[in-house]
Amino acid sequence: MSSSWRLVVVPELGGKIVSFLSLRTGREWLWKNPHIPFAKPVKDTTDFGLHDSVGWDEIFPTVNPCSMPGTGWGDLQLTDHGELWYRPWRIVNPKTEAQAIELTLHVEPDDLPLRFVLTLRLTTDALEVDYQLTNTGGQSLPYLWAAHPHIAIEPGNEILIPERRPARAD
């Protein structure tokens, strides 16, 4: 928590950010489905939609279930929304400074040749997010990655996209 923001992260739920609250205005910026409670997914989970729709997930290495034979992923059947959202992450090196709070989390799955690191830096004015992906195997790893925040949109909100910037909304 900074003087302006409260950020809540749950490492056991795939490093999920479950709350980003403005202490100045009381506004919660991340949406939570009021009909589905928090639930820790099991490894064999194949449907992201059966679990809580809340906060901000990391979608990697795929968005839809698939396999990628002939790659560093081997014969692994990749799940809906990827392989990170249902795995527990570890907190590494939390820091509290005069002007910022920094939290680094990582996941290094036993069955995948990768290390995914997420660093969150909360200041009075902003949330800075930094990512690091390391291939720990000997083959290339094709992937898709998406930050997946559920934004709590309120009546009257607008999303402004700069001209000539590609954008896609689903």
Side-chain angles (χ1 to χ4, degrees), residues 110 118 135:
D110 293 337
L118 169 65
N135 179 345

Side-chain angles (χ1 to χ4, degrees), residues 70-86:
T71 71
W73 301 112
D75 294 329
L76 182 67
Q77 181 65 34
L78 301 171
T79 66
D80 180 16
H81 280 60
E83 297 294 313
L84 302 184
W85 67 272
Y86 66 86

Side-chain angles (χ1 to χ4, degrees), residues 4 8 28 33 37 44 56 58-59 73-74 101 104 115 155 164:
S4 301
V8 179
E28 172 59 59
N33 185 331
D44 295 334
W56 180 333
E58 299 302 330
I59 309 302
W73 301 112
I101 298 167
T104 299
R115 178 180 171 89
R164 299 187 181 157

